[in-house]
């Protein structure tokens, strides 16, 4: 574990959010320091994405409590100033974007551009570096909606780089990707985090990945913060039970010190599966 | 397979916009001399024939200028709404501006109002009020909801308001006597036939220019909004403010045009798409192209509509739809690449 400095970039104090009367986040209190790699985990509907978007001021509904971004309340930030510090990286979804990768990345210089200015050489340089850093140069001239999910995710990360953001808010960055591209994306994020001191906050469903990559883990359940701490502390049966209920068991990881979780099977399910396998084997013969 | 970016043998966007500018200048310069009566060039500076100079200065030139302004405004509005709603079928009338204006005009004809205020006719004033009413209605309905104003809700609210107003217009037509109901029908077809002198042109000009300047100021925001609201937000766009400014600027601009010319369909849907096919999706280039192309398109259509059935004239809305529909289809089918549609 790295030595974490005490420079707090994101801080929530009793932060709550209700959407259409339904509480989505309940009195969240936490601090994220500069350069940390923090994963947000929890079951579906736990409020993970709402919390992530809150860090970029994307809030709807009734808000109470406080949320500071780099030492200033979220309400006082101007979005174009915040964009120079923080960027949200969405899932590599299939939305249609008619621009080429290069055009798209140049558009990400928005917070540095005035309405009538043309693109200046510095913008081009930053975008070029972002493309080289993420390995997106080969498809610079292609339209974004002709890319595969993996390529598209790299472009979205390049966008955060081009924007100059040092807080990356990633929403399930590896969903929709195959194992090869998952590893690619994760190493890209880890590199930015370790070499360039980028603060990473990532929503993920993959707790096994999260414990290996992260400095700290945020676990949410029904909008409440049920765990916030280092990865070794979450991989305990009673902690996991508080997050996911009874559905998981811990097993030893073949290579790492930390255990990993797999879905639990009841003895009945186990018998059922054995029977089914036997039948399938019969058929094969 | 979509394109791999601009090919090298392709004409650059600068040349395309340059060509459009020349075409626009040519169209605006030539169109006034065409029509039921041929006007000699020397009518410009008085010339031999007083009535020819009169026709040229009091009718033809204002009419051509108004057509150009209306075409530009409709094309710009269509471009903005298509980007904002990320929907290729969005038009300047999506938020119910046209039906609101038509309802205003229908009420005016039904009641037989015939006053004029500052040179603006009663029909135009009530049409503008109707347009404003529909914009405010759609905006208030969708932004007071629990979730804030989502563009999808806004789109649907616009359609719903349009349908409601359209049935109210049908009702007005039904209860009015035949001559009034024909006036209403003729108004709904759109056209520039009532233009005399420059007062209408100047009124529309004020609205269109201020609307256009606001859109121009927000072109970078519009580029990002066309990739999705969350993207725009995280890139630093003040999404709600930009959306509200664009909605009101564009709707008022269209409201002013519709109030004078009636709802002219298809220009606002077609012109931005054709320009997107020629120029690409970058609004900083697309916008001047759409303004020029929309203007030229309506000037040409209006000139043809003056000539083709002389001595009567064809409502220009019928012509834009007749010419535009097939042309648009041809473009879609002939150049499948790079449709640039959201």
């Amino acid at each position: 574990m790295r030595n974490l400095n005490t420079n707090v970039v994101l801080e929530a104090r009793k932060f709550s959010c209700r959407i259409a009367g339904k509480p989505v986040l309940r009195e969240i209190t936490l601090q994220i320091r500069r350069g940390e790699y923090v994963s947000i985990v929890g079951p579906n509907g736990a409020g993970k994405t709402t919390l992530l978007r809150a860090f970029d001021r994307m809030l709807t509904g009734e808000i109470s409590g406080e949320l500071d971004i780099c030492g200033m309340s979220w309400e006082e930030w101007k979005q174009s100033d915040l964009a120079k510090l923080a960027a949200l990286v969405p899932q590599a979804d299939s939305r249609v974007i008619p621009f080429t990768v290069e055009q798209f990345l140049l558009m990400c210089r928005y917070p540095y551009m005035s309405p009538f200015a043309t693109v200046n050489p510095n913008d081009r340089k930053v975008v070029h570096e972002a493309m080289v850093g993420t390995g997106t140069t080969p498809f610079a001239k292609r339209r974004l909606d002709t890319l595969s999910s993996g390529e598209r995710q790299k472009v979205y990360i390049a966008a955060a780089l081009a924007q100059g953001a040092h807080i990356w808010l990633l929403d399930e960055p590896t969903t929709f990707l195959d194992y090869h591209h998952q590893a690619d994306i994760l190493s890209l994020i880890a590199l930015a985090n370790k070499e360039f001191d980028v603060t990473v906050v990532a929503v993920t469903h993959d707790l096994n990945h999260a414990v290996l990559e992260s400095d700290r883990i945020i676990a949410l359940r029904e909008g409440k913060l049920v765990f916030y701490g280092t990865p070794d502390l979450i991989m305990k049966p009673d902690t996991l039970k508080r997050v996911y209920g009874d559905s998981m068991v811990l097993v030893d990881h073949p290579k790492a010190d930390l255990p990993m979780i797999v879905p639990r099977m009841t003895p009945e399910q186990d018998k059922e599966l054995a029977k089914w396998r036997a039948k399938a084997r019969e058929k094969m013969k | 397979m979509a394109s791999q970016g601009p090919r090298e043998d392709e004409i650059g966007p600068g040349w395309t916009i340059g060509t459009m500018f020349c075409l626009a200048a040519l169209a605006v310069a030539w169109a006034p001399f065409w029509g039921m009566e041929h006007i000699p060039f020397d009518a410009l500076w008085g010339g031999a024939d007083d009535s020819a100079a009169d026709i040229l200065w009091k009718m033809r030139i204002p009419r051509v200028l108004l057509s150009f302004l209306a075409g530009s405004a409709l094309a710009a509005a269509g471009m903005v709404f298509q980007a904002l709603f990320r929907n290729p079928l969005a038009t300047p009338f999506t938020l119910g501006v046209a039906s609101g204006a038509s309802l205003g005009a229908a009420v005016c004809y039904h009641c037989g109002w015939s006053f004029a205020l500052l040179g603006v006719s009663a029909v135009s004033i009530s049409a503008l009020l109707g347009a404003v009413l529909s914009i405010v209605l759609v905006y208030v309905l969708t932004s007071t909801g629990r979730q804030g104003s989502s563009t999808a809700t806004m789109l649907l609210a616009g359609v719903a308001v349009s349908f409601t107003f359209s049935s109210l217009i049908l009702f007005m037509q039904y209860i009015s006597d035949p001559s009034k109901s024909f006036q209403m029908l003729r108004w709904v077809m759109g056209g520039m036939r009532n233009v005399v002198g420059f007062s209408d042109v100047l009124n529309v000009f004020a609205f269109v220019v201020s609307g256009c300047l606001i859109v121009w100021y927000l072109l970078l925001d519009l580029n990002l909004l066309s990739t999705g609201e969350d993207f725009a937000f995280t890139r630093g766009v003040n999404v709600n403010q930009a959306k509200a400014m664009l909605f009101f600027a564009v709707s008022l601009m269209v409201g002013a045009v519709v109030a004078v010319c009636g709802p002219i369909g298809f220009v606002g849907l077609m012109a931005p798409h054709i320009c997107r096919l020629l120029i690409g999706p970058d609004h900083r280039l697309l916008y001047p192209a759409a303004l020029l192309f929309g203007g030229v398109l309506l000037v040409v259509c209006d000139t043809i509509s003056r000539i083709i059935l002389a001595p009567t004239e064809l409502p220009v809305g019928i012509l834009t739809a007749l010419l535009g529909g097939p042309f648009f289809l041809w473009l879609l089918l002939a150049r499948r690449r790079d449709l640039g549609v959201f």
Side-chain angles (χ1 to χ4, degrees):
Chain A
M1 191 109 346
R2 277 172 304 152
N3 198 9
L4 303 167
N5 66 40
T6 52
N7 193 353
V8 176
V9 288
L10 298 167
E11 179 170 15
R13 287 184 302 276
K14 295 211 163 185
F15 183 74
S16 304
C17 174
R18 296 164 79 87
I19 295 175
K22 186 176 162 282
V24 182
L25 293 174
R26 308 180 201 213
E27 304 208 333
I28 305 283
T29 299
L30 56 81
Q31 288 187 335
I32 295 174
R33 296 188 185 86
R34 183 169 180 139
E36 274 189 322
Y37 192 131
V38 178
S39 291
I40 306 178
V41 301
N44 287 332
K48 303 188 293 290
T49 301
T50 309
L51 181 61
L52 189 79
R53 290 165 72 91
F55 291 144
D56 203 18
R57 299 179 71 244
M58 279 192 216
L59 286 162
T60 47
E62 303 160 53
I63 311 296
S64 62
E66 285 157 89
L67 177 71
D68 291 355
I69 305 168
C70 295
M72 193 157 89
S73 166
W74 70 276
E75 286 165 303
E76 288 167 40
W77 275 101
K78 216 176 125 201
Q79 191 62 29
S80 56
D81 291 332
L82 182 60
K84 296 175 186 172
L85 304 180
L88 191 88
V89 180
Q91 290 178 9
D93 51 13
S94 54
R95 79 175 82 186
V96 177
I97 296 176
F99 297 95
T100 67
V101 171
E102 196 177 17
Q103 282 176 322
F104 178 73
L105 293 177
L106 281 169
M107 279 157 53
C108 298
R109 299 293 295 164
Y110 175 87
Y112 307 91
M113 288 162 100
S114 69
F116 303 115
T118 47
V119 179
N120 69 39
N122 183 49
D123 293 327
R124 288 199 185 280
K125 190 173 140 259
V126 173
V127 165
H128 179 72
E129 284 167 2
M131 288 196 292
V132 170
T134 49
T136 47
T137 324
F139 30 91
K141 299 283 181 206
R142 275 174 60 190
R143 261 177 64 147
L144 233 79
D145 41 19
T146 67
L147 303 181
S148 74
S149 304
E151 292 167 334
R152 202 181 255 249
Q153 189 66 65
K154 282 187 195 168
V155 174
Y156 289 178
I157 288 174
L161 266 177
Q163 197 174 321
H166 64 74
I167 303 170
W168 290 6
L169 306 163
L170 302 125
D171 194 0
E172 300 184 29
T174 54
T175 312
F176 304 131
L177 305 190
D178 61 55
Y179 287 121
H180 170 70
H181 279 102
Q182 280 188 17
D184 245 21
I185 296 293
L186 288 175
S187 67
L188 202 58
I189 298 168
L191 183 76
N193 175 243
K194 297 204 168 56
E195 299 296 322
F196 300 101
D197 209 27
V198 168
T199 310
V200 173
V201 183
V203 166
T204 180
H205 276 296
D206 193 337
L207 186 59
N208 290 323
H209 251 137
V211 295
L212 295 178
E213 304 280 347
S214 320
D215 299 315
R216 296 217 248 178
I217 308 252
I218 293 171
L220 297 176
R221 185 171 185 179
E222 288 165 9
K224 274 183 279 196
L225 183 72
V226 286
F227 175 85
Y228 183 37
T230 49
D232 51 320
L233 294 177
I234 197 174
M235 287 316 225
K236 302 245 164 77
D238 52 331
T239 319
L240 282 175
K241 197 170 168 182
R242 275 194 289 146
V243 183
Y244 290 104
D246 248 344
S247 54
M248 306 302 242
V249 286
L250 283 166
V251 297
D252 286 336
H253 191 287
K255 297 270 168 68
D257 285 342
L258 288 164
M260 55 189 283
I261 56 171
V262 293
R264 174 197 292 281
M265 312 230 347
T266 60
E268 294 80 39
Q269 280 176 326
D270 217 15
K271 267 182 214 157
E272 198 63 21
L273 194 65
K275 250 192 246 165
W276 188 83
R277 280 196 185 123
K279 255 189 209 160
R281 245 179 255 128
E282 285 291 308
K283 269 190 193 157
M284 297 278 277
K285 282 172 190 166
Chain B
M1 186 66 198
S3 93
Q4 308 282 312
R7 293 195 310 267
E8 267 158 24
D9 57 346
E10 239 168 7
I11 311 160
W15 283 101
T16 316
I17 293 176
T19 313
M20 280 183 185
F21 185 81
C22 295
L23 273 178
L26 217 64
V28 173
W30 272 90
F33 300 99
W34 287 60
M36 210 160 62
E37 268 169 83
H38 182 71
I39 308 283
F41 285 117
D42 62 359
L44 266 180
W45 45 89
D49 188 355
D50 269 355
S51 74
D54 249 21
I55 292 176
L56 186 69
W57 281 104
K58 289 204 177 130
M59 301 180 70
R60 296 277 177 84
I61 291 178
R63 183 167 173 162
V64 168
L65 290 178
L66 185 66
S67 307
F68 191 85
L69 276 176
S72 297
L74 292 173
M79 182 198 80
V80 168
F81 281 157
Q82 283 160 13
L84 222 49
F85 292 119
R86 290 171 48 75
N87 187 322
L89 291 178
T91 73
F93 306 141
T94 299
L95 292 191
V97 179
S99 50
S102 303
L103 183 62
V107 170
C108 176
Y109 283 127
H110 179 73
C111 302
W113 296 332
S114 58
F115 58 89
L117 210 73
L118 299 168
V120 186
S121 67
V123 184
S124 294
I125 293 172
S126 33
L128 187 62
L129 288 179
V132 171
L133 173 75
S134 68
I135 305 160
V136 171
L137 197 62
V138 168
Y139 196 81
V140 169
L141 278 178
T142 50
S143 59
T144 50
R146 289 175 301 185
Q147 301 276 345
S149 63
S150 96
T151 37
T153 321
M154 221 159 197
L155 197 68
L156 290 175
V159 173
V161 165
S162 283
F163 277 125
T164 316
F165 281 10
S166 296
S167 56
L168 282 174
I169 294 166
L170 282 179
F171 176 70
M172 305 281 307
Q173 283 183 343
Y174 187 72
I175 58 167
S176 296
D177 60 61
S179 75
K180 282 176 178 171
S181 127
F182 179 75
Q183 280 181 312
M184 289 178 198
L185 184 68
R186 185 60 191 81
W187 194 88
V188 167
M189 286 176 186
M192 264 74 62
R193 73 200 179 290
N194 291 328
V195 182
V196 179
F198 284 91
S199 67
D200 277 340
V201 180
L202 287 175
N203 286 326
V204 173
F205 183 77
F207 276 95
V208 171
V209 167
S210 38
C212 280
L213 284 177
I214 293 174
V215 175
W216 189 31
Y217 182 75
L218 291 170
L219 286 180
L220 291 175
D221 306 52
L222 200 59
N223 261 349
L224 284 167
L225 282 166
S226 74
T227 67
E229 278 180 31
D230 53 346
F231 262 138
F233 196 92
T234 198
R235 303 282 98 94
V237 177
N238 190 339
V239 170
N240 286 333
Q241 189 192 318
K243 258 164 61 181
M245 276 171 78
L246 286 167
F247 280 136
F248 280 99
V250 164
S251 299
L252 275 181
M253 167 164 107
V254 172
V257 167
V258 174
V260 176
C261 309
I264 300 168
F266 267 90
V267 177
L269 176 67
M270 235 164 35
H273 278 305
I274 292 171
C275 292
R276 214 175 271 122
L277 286 167
L278 295 170
I279 297 255
D282 188 344
H283 288 91
R284 283 172 304 177
L285 297 168
L286 184 57
Y287 184 53
L291 287 176
L292 290 170
F293 189 85
V296 172
L297 187 65
L298 202 52
V299 167
V300 170
C301 285
D302 182 56
T303 309
I304 296 174
S305 78
R306 283 197 321 245
I307 299 169
I308 200 166
L309 285 186
T312 62
E313 65 177 63
L314 185 70
V316 73
I318 295 179
L319 195 69
T320 52
L322 270 181
L323 284 181
F327 180 56
F328 188 42
L329 264 180
W330 172 76
L331 260 180
L332 279 174
L333 298 176
R335 294 185 65 182
R336 295 175 67 98
R337 48 143 283 186
D338 214 5
L339 282 179
V341 166
F342 303 107

